[in-house]
Amino acid sequence: MTQQASDVIAGRNAVSEALRGQRSINKILIQEGARGGSLGELVAAAKNKGVPVEIVKAERLDKLALGLRHQGVAALAAPIAFQSLDDVFAKAAAKDEPPFLLLLDELQDPQNVGALLRTADAAGVHGVLLPRRRSCPLNATVAKISAGAVEYVPVVQIGNIAQAIDELKQRGCWVVGADMDGVDFYAANMTGPIVLVIGAEGKGIGRLVKQKCDDIVSIPMNGGVNSLNASNAGAVLMYEVVRQRRLFQ
């Protein structure tokens, strides 16, 4: 996937300042063999903020930096500031609505992530949860595909998905995962505080995540293919939540 120039922060001082400030960082890239100077402090700061650090070859940094002097370090920044679960629940409370969250379990495709953000905005989702690791970074490509929705839907970066689900349950949410082995989604009650979990392309939601869900639902497939892609499945299920809330509340 090609990074846009606006996503890249190059140079040790610039990356250190970004980590100290409020800028949302997807990942830190460090050149293979780079040492000395402020590098140790930079890595420690990244780990303290839960930002993944990846060791890469010099050629990749040179390509990303587009001629800027990167000093063996670059950061991939998000186009927006990430928010917290408290922000998301406050947004729901301000609207006097039961919380409605979308959790994306390690989705890698920016087309799907962008499309899901767009539908989430249209369906009134209060927040979208993205794992820090093994997920598509929230970059300019995703923002463009979302058609601007990324500016309106709060996005929360989470660490361990299973732990995040436990916290959401403690906050009173019912966690519903999408999987081919689930019950017909028309039979599921999705009217209260809800977290809808959409799994990665090809493999679906992870085994442990599936075990953590309160309910597993599926979409009936009556044609020649046996599944929808993540963004289509997510759209169907998000609007089922909308339908049920309008019908039963």
Side-chain angles (χ1 to χ4, degrees):
M1 179 176 59
T2 302
Q3 291 291 332
Q4 305 295 322
S6 58
D7 294 333
V8 179
I9 302 170
R12 298 189 183 194
N13 289 338
V15 172
S16 294
E17 288 298 328
L19 285 168
R20 279 195 286 269
Q22 299 301 310
R23 188 73 185 269
S24 297
I25 305 296
N26 289 317
K27 184 184 293 185
I28 303 294
L29 304 177
I30 296 179
Q31 183 178 316
E32 195 174 58
R35 294 182 180 82
S38 59
L39 193 58
E41 294 178 5
L42 190 152
V43 171
K47 290 183 177 179
N48 185 54
K49 292 191 71 170
V51 177
V53 175
E54 182 180 342
I55 306 300
V56 299
K57 293 187 180 299
E59 292 81 4
R60 183 175 178 193
L61 283 179
D62 293 339
K63 184 177 180 180
L64 286 171
L66 297 177
L68 296 175
R69 186 165 176 260
H70 56 70
Q71 302 169 295
V73 177
L76 303 182
I80 61 162
F82 292 114
Q83 298 191 39
S84 68
L85 279 178
D86 288 339
D87 295 328
V88 170
F89 279 82
K91 180 179 181 179
K95 292 185 173 183
D96 195 25
E97 296 172 346
F100 180 11
L101 284 73
L102 180 68
L103 195 164
L104 306 183
D105 182 13
E106 301 183 2
L107 266 73
Q108 302 286 340
D109 185 352
Q111 297 281 341
N112 275 328
V113 174
L116 283 163
L117 284 167
R118 185 173 184 176
T119 304
D121 175 54
V125 169
H126 300 113
V128 176
L129 280 57
L130 289 176
R132 291 189 181 95
R133 299 183 183 275
R134 294 184 292 277
S135 292
C136 169
L138 185 62
N139 55 26
T141 303
V142 172
K144 181 178 180 180
I145 294 166
S146 78
V150 73
E151 300 289 342
Y152 302 103
V153 181
V155 178
V156 181
Q157 268 199 331
I158 59 174
N160 183 283
I161 300 177
Q163 291 178 1
I165 289 176
D166 287 339
E167 180 179 350
L168 291 163
K169 288 182 177 183
Q170 290 171 4
R171 289 175 179 252
C173 291
W174 186 256
V175 182
V176 178
D179 189 85
M180 291 173 60
D181 296 330
V183 300
D184 190 317
F185 74 94
Y186 291 119
N189 184 344
M190 296 193 280
T191 57
I194 191 167
V195 180
L196 182 61
V197 185
I198 302 297
E201 302 84 0
K203 67 177 183 179
I205 58 178
R207 179 185 57 82
L208 181 57
V209 173
K210 189 174 180 180
Q211 291 174 354
K212 287 282 186 180
C213 290
D214 296 304
D215 207 354
I216 300 294
V217 298
S218 64
I219 299 172
M221 303 299 297
N222 300 314
V225 297
N226 62 3
S227 66
L228 298 174
N229 69 21
S231 60
N232 288 336
V236 170
L237 294 173
M238 279 186 270
Y239 269 93
E240 176 62 12
V241 175
V242 173
R243 186 192 72 83
Q244 289 193 22
R245 287 185 169 190
R246 290 190 175 184
L247 187 62
F248 299 116
Q249 291 185 343

